[in-house]
Every structure is written in C-alpha cells, then in structure tokens.
Amino acid sequence: MAAKRGTDEMRDRVVLGEFGVHNVHTTDFPGNYPGYEDAWDRRRFEEAFRVDIIREEEGALEFDMVGIDAAIANAFRRILLAEVPTMAVEKVFVYNNTSIVQDEILAHRLGLIPIRADPRLFEYRNQGDEEGTEIDTLQFQLKIKCSRNPQAAKESSDPNELYFNHKVYSKHMTWVPLGNQTDLFPDADFRPVHDDILIALLRPGQEIDVLMHCVKGIGKDHAKFSPVATASYRLLPDITLLQPIEDEAAEMLQKCFSPGVIEIQNIKGKKVARVANARLDTFSREVFRHEGLKNLVRLARVRNHYIFSVESTGILPPDVLVSEAIKILMGKCQRFLNELDSVPME
Amino acid sequence: MVMKNPDVEFCGYCITHPSESKINFRIQTRGGLPAVEPFRKGLNDLMGVCQHVLNTFERSMKEYRAQREEEMQ
C-alpha cells in the first residue's frame, strides 16, 4: 500500500523540497508503471477533464483547467501571448512633426497603442503589398496644433491655462475610412481602447500631422500585436501536515504561510492547526527556515490542475481570447494533417 | 500525445538552430507499424482534445454567466 501511495505521489504531485523541486516531469506514459493504464484514452480524458471559471472581471479572467497535461496547457499560454492576432499601427506617414518628440519615437509610441478593432473582421496584408487595401488596413489620422491662450492671466505658469492642445492624447486619433469601409462597418467605432494615453507634449507653434495604417499581426512578429496584458498559469498548491501540530507550533505554522491558508481550531482546549485553503498560498517556503516545522509539512503541487489567469488589453474580452487560442491550436493540427496527406510517403 | 501511444518506442524533438524555425521530430515504433501512423493519430487526438477543451470552456463560461445573472437579480 505504501509503495502504491508513493508511486501515486510521484505520478500526480510535484514536490517542493527544501533545496529543490522533485518529480517535475510527466512520467505517466504507457509502459513506465506496471499495473497502470496510461495509453491515451479519449473517454477517460473527457470524464476527468473539467474547466471551472473562478472570477471574471473587466478585462481579466481566472479559471481552472483540471485533468490536462502540462504541454497542452503551456501551448495555450504561449499561443495567447504570441499567436492570437490583433490590429495595431504598423506604418506612420509623417506629414508634419515639429514637436520635440522624434519621428521614430513617435511612431514607436503610436504602434504600442491598443486599437479597439475586432481582428477577425480583417485579413492579413499580403507580403510586398505597400499600399494596403480596405480589407486589411485601418487608417487613422492624428492632426493637432498647439496654440497660446490669449485669455490666460499674466503671471500664471500652469500650462493647462496658458496653452490649448499642449497634451496629445490617444483620443485625438480619428478613424479615416478607406474605400468601402463605411459600408462594410456601418456602426463600427474604431478607436484606441483607452482615450487617455499621453502620446506627446507640445508647446505653441508645434504641430503633429500624421497618417497611420493599422494592420493585422501576431505577437511573434512584434510585441505590440499581443492581445493580452499577460497570460499565466500556476499549479494548484497542495499542503499536507504529516503530523498533528499544536499550540505554539501551530501559531508559528500559521505565520509561515499566506493569510487564510492555515486555520487554528480549538479542539478540547488545545489549538490544532488545519489546512483551510491551500489555493491561496504563494509558496514562499518560509516553513523550511524553522527546524522544528521543516519535517512536519509536505509542500506539493497537483500536477494536472492549472489555475490560469488571463488579462486582456481591452481589444477582445479574455474568454474570446482563450477560445481563439484553442482554435488556433486546432488550425495548426489541421494544417499538419493536410500536409501529411498531400506529401506522398514511400 | 504521441508518447501516450503504446506502439511508440521513442519520440523526441530538437530545434536545429534557434534562428531558423525548424524542428526535427523523430518517432520510432516497435516494428510493424509505419511511423507516420502514430504521428497522424497523435494529431487527430490533439484535435479531439482541443475541441473538447473548447466545448467545456464555452459551456463553463455560459454557466458562470447565467449564475451571475441569477445572483444579480
């Protein structure tokens, strides 16, 4: 029985020791463990797999994926970061820039502004196509000139009073429809996601007059195309107390973990520690610094329970991003299957 | 996915050079099967997994939103 428990632990827990992490890699492949059925079984996977949505807020989503392998969860994370397409400013045609900000710096800043445009409505631009057509390009204009305010008080030094338009915000970017875009998108409102991104500062007499072309791209090409502020996952923590811990040791144990993880109950007059909610812990390993507590606790993580946290930049809601990432992985598999079928094998 | 196939004796990949996007992927079977079969089966199984994950995720999102609607009212 103990041997079986040992192998069970090796198979589905990643153990955090004092000086290192053990059982990191997935080992449940057919043939490794006698007596275990490890071959791929679709029905077993579908029965064990589940997705629990924990929290959905404005632009951020936290959900659990249970029963999936590390490689596939990591693939979803990587695709969310680098391969879900968005629209961003790629070419900036500078007609007049007499501001302090150099042309290339201004162009770089404009490229990083997230644009609220559903990338699924657009196509990728063909390579070598310099002009851009209405199906793959969005055009924006930024035309602003700073002037002096004649009604300002003589001694004031507040730039908000002295000058008009001295701060260039992203709300000054206006959409210029190309070709038949007004018919294709009659009630669309293409603009930056946030109106209050400061682009440049001006003084009287300086002006900026640029035309911008937005194209569809992926994060692998340039980070400005990444649709997530960040997408990350962690494994579910699993804390086991190997012996009952009481009194002062219990108090010390509670301080070693994040608040809410260990709770102290009063059983027959004695204070006994109990693991209340291991999920909240961030595993600072403070327990290992105390000689008395080191060997009474086992810190581990559940190998196939992933707590995903996806935060979107505002272009698409985070659940749409996750669905798109899964569809992109399916598209890649399909492409390889088509290749396999088309190339003749000896 | 390919490693989960009991007919596969060896499966591995390596990236020839980080500047080129090329991967050498090697599958060796226990004799008998052509090696393309586990590859094809692995790809099909992965498609199935993705489809199931997508369905489960969308179903969970719908349930979560419906539950939140009820709590709000």
Side-chain angles (χ1 to χ4, degrees):
Chain A
M1 250 355 263
K4 185 169 197 300
R5 221 173 330 120
T7 50
D8 276 342
E9 178 181 307
M10 203 155 61
R11 279 165 64 92
D12 55 29
R13 293 280 187 278
V14 177
V15 180
L16 275 70
E18 186 177 350
F19 297 114
V21 187
H22 311 289
N23 298 341
V24 176
H25 302 287
T26 335
T27 46
D28 53 349
F29 300 117
N32 272 352
Y33 296 100
Y36 283 90
E37 254 310 305
D38 284 331
W40 174 252
D41 185 356
R42 185 190 175 131
R43 208 178 26 233
R44 214 174 36 217
F45 164 72
E46 292 183 2
E47 280 167 22
F49 179 71
R50 66 171 206 272
V51 173
D52 302 320
I53 315 284
I54 305 296
R55 193 175 50 225
E56 186 188 6
E57 284 162 13
E58 189 68 50
L61 177 66
E62 186 179 331
F63 66 97
D64 280 11
M65 248 200 235
V66 187
I68 201 170
D69 192 48
I72 307 182
N74 195 28
F76 291 142
R77 181 192 67 88
R78 289 180 67 142
I79 294 179
L80 272 169
L81 281 174
E83 304 211 21
V84 180
T86 58
M87 302 286 290
V89 174
E90 174 90 1
K91 275 211 162 55
V92 173
F93 298 94
V94 182
Y95 290 108
N96 191 1
N97 175 20
T98 41
S99 76
I100 272 284
V101 179
Q102 295 91 341
D103 289 347
E104 61 268 21
I105 306 291
L106 182 65
H108 182 238
R109 288 177 70 87
L110 290 169
L112 292 171
I113 297 174
I115 309 279
R116 189 194 300 280
D118 192 339
R120 296 170 290 187
L121 299 170
F122 296 91
E123 302 284 324
Y124 286 102
R125 191 181 271 197
N126 294 325
Q127 266 191 355
D129 183 5
E130 289 296 326
E131 286 292 319
T133 63
E134 56 238 359
I135 196 61
D136 58 33
T137 312
L138 266 183
Q139 209 177 49
F140 283 89
Q141 190 185 44
L142 178 63
K143 197 180 164 85
I144 191 164
K145 188 176 165 73
C146 178
S147 50
R148 201 180 287 276
N149 181 5
Q151 269 102 26
K154 272 246 174 76
E155 285 84 26
S156 90
S157 58
D158 177 16
N160 290 326
E161 248 187 59
L162 285 173
Y163 314 121
F164 287 136
N165 289 341
H166 70 282
K167 285 193 182 163
V168 182
Y169 287 108
S170 50
K171 65 172 185 266
H172 295 129
M173 283 169 63
T174 49
W175 175 46
V176 178
L178 271 179
N180 63 349
Q181 276 179 350
T182 25
D183 305 318
L184 277 178
F185 314 113
D187 35 300
D189 176 28
F190 296 126
R191 55 189 169 76
V193 175
H194 304 281
D195 281 335
D196 51 356
I197 300 177
L198 183 63
I199 301 177
L201 289 176
L202 299 174
R203 284 293 180 266
Q206 295 178 346
E207 75 173 283
I208 294 183
D209 181 7
V210 298
L211 198 66
M212 293 164 269
H213 278 191
C214 286
V215 294
K216 183 169 167 176
I218 55 176
K220 223 198 280 201
D221 180 26
H222 192 290
K224 70 189 176 195
F225 292 115
S226 182
V228 289
T230 191
S232 63
Y233 65 75
R234 61 190 178 104
L235 272 68
L236 181 75
D238 176 41
I239 303 172
T240 340
L241 300 177
L242 300 168
Q243 286 169 31
I245 300 183
E246 298 165 355
D247 296 328
E248 288 155 6
E251 299 267 325
M252 210 156 59
L253 190 74
Q254 195 180 42
K255 288 208 189 65
C256 288
F257 290 100
S258 309
V261 177
I262 302 271
E263 82 175 352
I264 302 205
Q265 290 173 328
N266 233 319
I267 301 187
K268 297 184 200 155
K270 277 198 298 192
K271 291 195 269 194
V272 180
R274 193 183 75 91
V275 179
N277 189 359
R279 196 195 161 95
L280 299 168
D281 196 32
T282 46
F283 274 166
S284 61
R285 296 187 191 192
E286 176 72 18
V287 223
F288 294 126
R289 294 182 61 218
H290 302 274
E291 279 304 321
L293 295 177
K294 208 153 60 157
N295 300 320
L296 306 178
V297 189
R298 189 195 71 169
L299 297 180
R301 290 194 188 269
V302 183
R303 182 172 274 141
N304 59 1
H305 186 136
Y306 295 90
I307 302 173
F308 272 84
S309 163
V310 178
E311 198 180 305
S312 156
T313 47
I315 302 178
L316 288 171
D319 55 307
V320 173
L321 287 176
V322 177
S323 306
E324 286 296 305
I326 304 176
K327 285 180 200 157
I328 288 176
L329 187 56
M330 282 204 292
K332 289 190 186 214
C333 292
Q334 191 59 51
R335 213 173 67 204
F336 275 112
L337 280 171
N338 294 343
E339 282 280 333
L340 261 187
D341 289 329
S342 64
V343 172
M345 294 278 149
E346 295 105 46
Chain B
M1 279 334 278
V2 179
M3 299 264 299
K4 288 276 198 184
N5 190 337
D7 293 322
V8 168
E9 186 175 343
F10 175 89
C11 169
Y13 73 93
C14 67
I15 302 186
T16 44
H17 191 280
S19 310
E20 302 177 334
S21 19
K22 235 197 276 191
I23 298 183
N24 279 350
F25 189 59
R26 184 191 156 93
I27 303 180
Q28 183 173 323
T29 55
R30 288 182 211 285
L33 264 203
V36 198
E37 289 316 302
F39 186 39
R40 199 186 295 262
K41 183 171 183 300
L43 284 173
N44 281 322
D45 289 340
L46 187 58
M47 288 263 295
V49 167
C50 289
Q51 187 64 54
H52 182 74
V53 170
L54 187 61
N55 295 341
T56 321
F57 178 71
E58 294 191 336
R59 201 174 354 119
S60 299
M61 277 309 297
K62 257 198 282 239
E63 285 170 10
Y64 176 79
R65 286 195 173 136
Q67 196 187 45
R68 245 197 354 190
E69 284 282 318
E70 278 176 26
E71 281 169 20
M72 301 252 271
Q73 278 158 12

